[in-house]
């Protein structure tokens, strides 16, 4: 099935006389006629639904769709992208363990790894997104449990070198976990480059209309847990679940089944059926939308690069980008609709430019059908001095622009009139 077709049809098929659109199953619990059936579900929870803290038929349909889009064996929805990353990490690492991560990842994930998980006894070493196999290997310790990265980093837009990351992780017997939020499976297929587990903030392009916060974890099914001595949780009986052995009893789906029956059971971070329904609807148009986001961003990036008021433009689709070669290899259909550019004249000029935008709204968000922008130096990073900003890769005059689904000519016209106003 082509990905366009899978976005429409995967996950839910109406039987004769049933609703054509995916029903919203607003029910906390499920009806069974015999204690035997319920007992069976406790032995083999994958055979049905028990309680909507763990799974729900509306959510399951969307999980099946997203697993099909990524080419994985299973997926699990979560209430946010943050929670998707936390669940993926917690399914592999515990107190006393260690993670190696690309340094070019979402700020919330940096905080999760560097601050919150550290308080729970999980340490992290950060390396460059373009680190060589040797550099990544040098950061791996005996207690490392996973290697983590972001396919296209938010907001740095750095492209992960999948091949070096996968080679280094697998040589050490570790799974590679990649947050694929920005490109979505329409533009990037991490499992084809050796990634073992993919996460998403579905809040971004998958929703794409700024309606619902959500996340998802997807299992490739390719990591060989049974032959590894680093993950006893996968290969020894889980006494909290009637002695199931995840790698033996669930085979290629061991990772995602374990995530659901240990972590979702205990943490209860499953989205409501209404949110899963909305996500299912927005996913139907994902390929159309991504094509348009990428086409507009490329045009806008090229236009910005030719402007004298712009000091630099960062977009992997530009030949001038240091990530252009990696982008051509891993993201041949484009990277996303997000661009960053530096306004000549610095902090004040950039803030003034944002204030003069008409259609382009100032928002702490990206990946929306409506174009939006953010000036990090006056918003997310306002506590930092100009020197501190430069040290973490953000110029004081930098603007992050998320190209929406409006006509690219109208986005450019809005930029043009704002430049004229601050001239
Ligand atoms: C937004 C984002 C997250 C966090 O997702 P939420 O849904 O906001 O919790 C994680 N990773 C990336 C790449 C993001 O852009």
């Amino acid at each position: 099935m082509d990905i366009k077709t899978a976005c429409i049809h995967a996950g839910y098929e109406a039987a004769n006389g049933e609703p054509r659109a995916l029903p919203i199953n607003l029910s906390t619990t499920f009806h069974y006629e015999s204690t035997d059936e319920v007992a069976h579900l406790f032995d083999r929870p994958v055979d049905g639904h028990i309680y909507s803290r763990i799974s729900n038929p509306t959510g399951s349909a969307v999980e099946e769709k997203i697993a099909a889009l990524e080419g994985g064996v299973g997926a699990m929805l979560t209430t946010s992208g943050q929670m998707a990353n936390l669940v993926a990490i917690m399914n592999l690492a515990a107190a006393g363990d260690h993670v190696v991560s690309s340094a070019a990842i979402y700020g919330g994930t940096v905080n999760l790894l560097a601050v919150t998980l550290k308080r729970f006894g999980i340490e992290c070493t950060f390396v460059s997104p373009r680190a060589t196999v040797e550099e990544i290997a040098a950061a791996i310790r005996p207690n490392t449990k996973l290697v983590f990265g972001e396919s296209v980093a938010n907001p740095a837009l750095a492209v992960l070198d999948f091949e070096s990351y996968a080679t280094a992780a697998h040589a050490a017997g570790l799974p590679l976990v990649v947050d694929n939020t920005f490109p979505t499976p329409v533009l990037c297929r991490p499992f084809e480059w050796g990634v073992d587990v993919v996460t998403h903030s579905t809040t971004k392009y998958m929703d794409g209309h700024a309606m619902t916060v959500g996340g998802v974890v997807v299992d490739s099914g390719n990591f060989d847990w049974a032959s590894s001595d680093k993950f006893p949780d996968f290969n020894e009986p889980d006494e909290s679940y009637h002695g199931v052995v995840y790698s033996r009893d669930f085979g290629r789906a061991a990772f995602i089944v374990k995530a659901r029956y240990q972590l979702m059971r205990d943490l209860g971070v499953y989205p409501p059926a209404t949110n899963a329904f909305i996500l299912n609807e927005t996913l139907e148009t994902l390929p159309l939308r991504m094509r348009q986001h990428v086409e507009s961003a490329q045009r806008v990036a090229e236009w910005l690069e030719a402007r004298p008021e712009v000091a630099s433009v960062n977009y992997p689709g530009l030949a001038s980008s240091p990530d252009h070669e990696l982008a051509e290899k891993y993201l041949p259909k484009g990277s996303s609709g997000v661009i960053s550019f530096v306004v000549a004249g610095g902090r004040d000029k950039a803030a003034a430019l944002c204030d003069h935008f008409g259609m382009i709204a100032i928002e702490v968000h990206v990946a929306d059908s409506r174009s939006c922008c953010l000036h990090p130096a006056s918003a997310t990073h306002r506590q930092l001095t100009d020197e501190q900003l430069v040290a973490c890769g953000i110029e004081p005059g930098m603007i992050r622009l998320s190209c929406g689904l409006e006509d690219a000519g109208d986005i450019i016209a809005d930029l043009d009139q704002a430049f004229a106003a601050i001239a």
Side-chain angles (χ1 to χ4, degrees):
M1 228 191 251
D2 182 84
I3 197 157
K4 294 192 288 300
T5 312
C7 277
I8 306 288
H9 290 288
Y12 175 70
E13 198 178 336
N16 190 35
E18 280 185 357
R20 183 71 172 117
L22 174 67
I24 304 174
N25 290 286
L26 269 184
S27 183
T28 57
T29 188
F30 303 90
H31 172 78
Y32 291 101
E33 313 238 302
S34 75
T35 45
D36 267 0
E37 278 171 281
V38 176
H40 172 78
L41 280 180
F42 276 85
D43 287 340
R44 266 200 74 82
V46 284
D47 290 350
H49 301 284
I50 298 176
Y51 188 51
S52 286
R53 171 166 23 91
I54 300 164
S55 69
N56 170 284
T58 310
S60 296
V62 184
E63 286 161 347
E64 234 179 89
K65 177 175 284 186
I66 295 173
L69 302 184
E70 287 286 8
V73 293
M76 182 173 79
L77 294 176
T78 57
T79 45
S80 69
Q82 284 295 102
M83 195 38 89
N85 283 328
L86 176 62
V87 164
I89 295 165
M90 281 179 72
N91 207 30
L92 298 168
D97 289 338
H98 175 253
V99 177
V100 172
S101 174
S102 161
I105 55 172
Y106 178 65
T109 316
V110 173
N111 205 69
L112 175 66
L113 284 164
V115 182
T116 303
L117 284 174
K118 192 169 179 208
R119 285 177 42 220
F120 287 86
I122 298 173
E123 295 212 341
C124 182
T125 302
F126 292 98
V127 295
S128 161
R130 271 179 275 161
T132 61
V133 175
E134 294 71 30
E135 285 163 341
I136 302 163
I140 292 173
R141 305 177 187 168
N143 61 340
T144 305
K145 289 297 166 71
L146 67 137
V147 178
F148 186 90
E150 232 167 76
S151 48
V152 176
N154 175 14
L157 304 176
V159 177
L160 190 78
D161 193 344
F162 287 102
E163 280 185 337
S164 348
Y165 269 70
T167 303
H170 295 159
L174 300 173
L176 174 59
V177 180
V178 166
D179 182 333
N180 194 31
T181 296
F182 261 32
T184 82
V186 172
L187 301 178
C188 183
R189 309 294 302 283
F191 293 157
E192 293 173 9
W193 298 104
V195 173
D196 301 290
V197 174
V198 155
T199 61
H200 286 276
S201 164
T202 62
T203 318
K204 309 295 163 50
Y205 288 112
M206 282 194 173
D207 174 290
H209 300 73
M211 293 190 290
T212 54
V213 172
V216 68
V217 182
V218 193
D219 182 0
S220 70
N222 292 336
F223 195 84
D224 184 4
W225 308 104
S227 312
S228 171
D229 58 1
K230 283 188 186 287
F231 300 98
D233 281 6
F234 285 79
N235 298 323
E236 289 169 8
D238 178 359
E239 296 312 337
S240 81
Y241 229 110
H242 313 279
V244 303
V245 177
Y246 292 101
S247 62
R248 180 196 67 196
D249 300 348
F250 302 105
R252 291 188 68 203
F255 179 90
I256 205 73
V257 173
K258 178 177 169 298
R260 189 183 302 278
Y261 296 110
Q262 290 180 337
L263 295 170
M264 193 54 83
R265 176 196 63 187
D266 289 3
L267 302 177
V269 287
Y270 204 66
T274 43
N275 287 27
F277 171 82
I278 291 168
L279 180 57
N280 186 61
E281 294 303 297
T282 55
L283 282 171
E284 291 194 356
T285 56
L286 185 65
L288 290 169
R289 291 188 288 109
M290 291 316 291
R291 196 169 67 198
Q292 188 60 52
H293 282 297
V294 161
E295 201 180 295
S296 293
Q298 185 70 31
R299 229 181 107 186
V300 171
E302 286 169 13
W303 183 85
L304 282 168
E305 202 168 40
R307 291 293 297 207
E309 304 94 328
V310 174
S312 64
V313 183
N314 182 11
Y315 184 66
L318 292 176
S320 61
S321 160
D323 292 303
H324 189 62
E325 226 174 281
L326 288 176
E328 287 203 310
K329 177 172 174 185
Y330 298 121
L331 303 136
K333 292 189 227 153
S335 56
S336 82
V338 182
I339 297 168
S340 69
F341 63 100
V342 177
V343 181
R347 181 189 287 262
D348 293 345
K349 277 281 188 201
L353 188 74
C354 290
D355 288 340
H356 281 91
F357 288 147
M359 179 181 78
I360 302 168
I362 301 173
E363 278 172 27
V364 187
H365 191 51
V366 287
D368 184 359
S369 55
R370 288 146 289 219
S371 289
C372 58
C373 74
L374 188 75
H375 178 222
S378 30
T380 44
H381 296 69
R382 64 179 286 107
Q383 74 279 15
L384 304 184
T385 64
D386 284 7
E387 293 70 37
Q388 287 172 321
L389 279 174
V390 174
C392 65
I394 295 170
E395 296 277 338
M398 191 189 104
I399 293 174
R400 182 179 71 186
L401 174 65
S402 173
C403 295
L405 297 177
E406 306 95 343
D407 181 73
D410 288 329
I411 300 172
I412 288 170
D414 197 16
L415 289 161
D416 196 34
Q417 65 76 30
F419 278 121
I422 63 159

